[in-house]
Amino acid sequence: LVDQSYKRINEVEDKVEAFLTLDEEKARSYAKQLDEAIGTKDQFGLLFGMPIGIKDNIVTKGLRTTCASKILDNFDPIYDATVVQKLQQAESVTIGKLNMDEFAMGSSTENSGFKVTKNPWNTSYVPGGSSGGSAVAVAAGEVPFSLGSDTGGSVRQPASFCGVVGLKPTYGRVSRYGLVAFASSLDIIGPITNSVEDNAYLLQAIAGVDPMDGTSANVEVPDYLSALTGDVKGLKIAVPSEYLGEGVSEEVKQSVLSGLKVLEGQGATWEEVSLPHSKYAVATYYLLSSSEASANLSRFDGVRYGYRTDNASNLLELYKQSRSEGFGDEVKRRIMLGTFALSSGYYDAYYKKAQKVRTLIKKDFEDVFEKYDVIIGPTTPTPAFKVGEKISDPLTMYANDILTIPMNLAGVPAISVPCGLSTEGLPLGLQIIGKHFDESTIYRVAHTFE
Ligand code: GLN
């Protein structure tokens, strides 16, 4: 499998550019070691011998981890993220580190400090972001498994654009220890795979409470594979009118309605509901996530690690110049926005207000989940857009996240599964949203599409 993985990477990597760093020598020798162990043991890891790619904001001991930022160009972490340790226990083989928008800020992978990853369905189109490399590596057949991170849609949106399965677990379901923080109250690591079954395997391997992450939840991890029963009889589905309204393209709407028909045919029922505060989600998210990012990214100061300028004659200049030269434009935009929103005099008007709206958005979900098992809608308002199309207009780019952001604000889990093709032959995604810690029901519903 590992041979196959590198063979495919050699064939397609120059066209799609999903990887930032490959770990070929180590991967091959570990695979050999696993091969040799086959006859000698009777217990195998859950992902024994499975090639996996890891988003470059998840730290890997001794393996370059850049967050696709020049400021971390030559950063070799001294420890493994908890998810990486768990993958080692599962005996999967790390193939390399995957491209992304710098510090996970973006929706197209065009904000990478190193290269632009392309959509394998049509290389003139973006793969989505920020986990573009993670979705592409799976969609292009370079690896069967990958990990992404999702702060406002970064696993689900690229999965949708690339025709693969991507899950944002419940906030706290997977440890964030070793995930370079963007917005700590929203960040979560999520699995990207070709099938729902593979996705359940990967979540099984990485989920669970972690003493190294105080926000990881002490909630029992169920057997996700046993949820894949194919039975959705009696399931109650809510479809928010806001998710099929203005700005959502007709073909996206039709693909969701056809998905709902499939579920109806199997004995589920659906009704239209309202999530009235949805319209405030994008503004709320960009205020809160940028505020948290401005604090989290203060650690990149040119002193402790990463890039350091040669053009400074005192300490203040060293900070300023290292950050000016090391960070890209989008990252600087967020730091400025966040610093402004948190500054005294503006804090109550922006940050505090946004926190209050976040509570209302969360309550919208709680109200709906009192009566329904899952919520269904599109993952994105449109299929993938062209490389270069939105990059010079940040607000249009931000608006693209309107259907994925509310779940991060509410902390609920959500999956994107492929649901047909657009007229241009690009994948469309259907999003299934569940109650807190109820990934099993999401998987059960998603599985019926396979
Ligand atoms: N596109 C969103 C942003 O730019 C979400 C990114 C993410 O989920 N990491 O912030």
Side-chain angles (χ1 to χ4, degrees):
L1 289 171
V2 170
D3 273 347
Q4 182 60 36
S5 195
Y6 285 110
K7 186 165 167 270
R8 184 70 183 155
I9 289 170
N10 277 330
E11 283 163 12
V12 300
E13 183 57 20
D14 61 333
K15 295 181 200 81
V16 296
E17 302 198 88
F19 281 92
L20 286 173
T21 308
L22 291 169
D23 200 17
E24 185 161 355
E25 208 177 303
K26 198 160 147 230
R28 284 186 187 280
S29 92
Y30 181 48
K32 196 156 168 256
Q33 199 185 315
L34 290 177
D35 270 348
E36 284 163 6
I38 286 177
T40 67
K41 59 180 194 172
D42 46 25
Q43 285 242 321
F44 296 92
L46 198 59
L47 298 171
F48 183 84
M50 292 293 152
I52 186 162
I54 296 177
K55 187 175 179 178
D56 212 23
N57 59 351
I58 298 172
V59 301
T60 40
K61 189 173 175 179
L63 179 61
R64 180 178 178 241
T65 300
T66 67
C67 296
S69 181
K70 296 239 159 71
I71 214 158
L72 288 174
D73 195 356
N74 285 316
F75 176 55
D76 288 334
I78 54 168
Y79 72 102
D80 277 320
T82 296
V83 291
V84 173
Q85 289 173 27
K86 287 193 172 230
L87 288 175
Q88 275 155 14
Q89 281 156 22
E91 297 180 301
S92 68
V93 183
T94 299
I95 297 297
K97 304 296 294 286
L98 293 157
N99 197 22
M100 53 185 283
D101 287 297
E102 185 177 2
F103 286 105
M105 295 170 183
S107 310
S108 65
T109 315
E110 292 166 291
N111 291 337
S112 166
F114 301 111
K115 55 186 174 186
V116 177
T117 299
K118 317 293 184 318
N119 192 316
W121 290 75
N122 181 334
T123 51
S124 313
Y125 286 81
V126 302
S130 65
S131 313
S134 305
V136 168
V138 172
E142 296 180 308
V143 284
F145 295 88
S146 72
L147 288 182
S149 67
D150 193 312
T151 304
S154 280
V155 162
R156 291 161 287 154
Q157 186 253 23
S160 167
F161 281 7
C162 294
V164 293
V165 179
L167 175 87
K168 175 202 116 55
T170 309
Y171 182 79
R173 180 53 106 188
V174 177
S175 169
R176 291 186 296 112
Y177 182 65
L179 169 68
V180 178
F182 163 10
S184 314
S185 77
L186 302 156
D187 296 341
I188 186 81
I189 294 171
I192 300 181
T193 54
N194 286 302
S195 73
V196 174
E197 189 180 355
D198 283 356
N199 210 277
Y201 268 101
L202 184 47
L203 180 63
Q204 199 81 55
I206 61 169
V209 67
D210 176 12
M212 300 304 281
D213 172 9
T215 63
S216 71
N218 196 357
V219 176
E220 203 190 308
V221 179
D223 177 3
Y224 294 117
L225 288 154
S226 67
L228 309 180
T229 57
D231 182 12
V232 291
K233 213 157 174 231
L235 187 92
K236 292 206 209 84
I237 303 166
V239 179
S241 49
E242 292 83 0
Y243 291 8
L244 293 176
E246 210 186 318
V248 178
S249 82
E250 192 53 36
E251 56 187 352
V252 167
K253 243 182 255 179
Q254 289 311 323
S255 96
V256 171
L257 292 174
S258 72
L260 289 167
K261 259 217 178 82
V262 171
L263 293 167
E264 254 179 342
Q266 299 180 15
T269 54
W270 68 272
E271 282 172 348
E272 215 168 286
V273 298
S274 176
L275 296 170
H277 296 93
S278 301
K279 54 178 178 288
Y280 306 117
V282 172
T284 306
Y285 166 84
Y286 277 94
L287 262 163
L288 294 179
S289 65
S290 303
S291 299
E292 293 186 30
S294 71
N296 277 327
L297 269 56
S298 65
R299 74 194 62 179
F300 303 105
D301 56 6
V303 175
R304 279 172 281 191
Y305 34 61
Y307 175 80
R308 180 180 302 165
T309 186
D310 291 327
N311 312 313
S313 50
N314 59 48
L315 186 61
L316 194 60
E317 251 177 48
L318 179 93
Y319 293 150
K320 277 194 188 168
Q321 280 308 112
S322 299
R323 288 167 69 81
S324 300
E325 292 162 23
F327 287 136
D329 288 349
E330 183 60 28
V331 175
K332 287 178 189 161
R333 192 175 290 128
R334 308 269 181 126
I335 293 173
M336 286 192 285
L337 176 61
T339 307
F340 176 76
L342 290 178
S343 58
S344 113
Y346 293 104
Y347 180 90
D348 285 356
Y350 295 117
Y351 182 78
K352 210 165 156 195
K353 183 88 162 273
Q355 289 289 30
K356 289 180 179 169
V357 182
R358 179 177 186 174
T359 303
L360 294 174
I361 290 169
K362 193 165 164 237
K363 177 135 190 323
D364 279 357
F365 280 97
E366 282 162 7
D367 290 347
V368 169
F369 281 131
E370 271 183 18
K371 289 207 209 105
Y372 300 89
D373 301 305
V374 291
I375 298 173
I376 285 184
T379 310
T380 58
T382 61
F385 43 91
K386 287 216 161 100
V387 175
E389 193 180 321
K390 298 192 180 182
I391 194 67
S392 51
D393 183 357
L395 287 182
T396 315
M397 189 74 95
Y398 296 173
N400 192 258
D401 301 330
I402 187 153
L403 300 171
T404 48
I405 277 173
M407 300 79 203
N408 298 77
L409 291 169
V412 293
I415 201 168
S416 179
V417 286
C419 186
L421 296 179
S422 74
T423 43
E424 280 160 331
L426 295 165
L428 300 171
L430 178 101
Q431 190 174 197
I432 306 161
I433 303 134
K435 298 175 187 174
H436 285 114
F437 299 103
D438 193 13
E439 286 83 1
S440 291
T441 302
I442 294 184
Y443 279 143
R444 180 155 61 89
V445 180
H447 189 54
T448 60
F449 287 95
E450 298 190 328

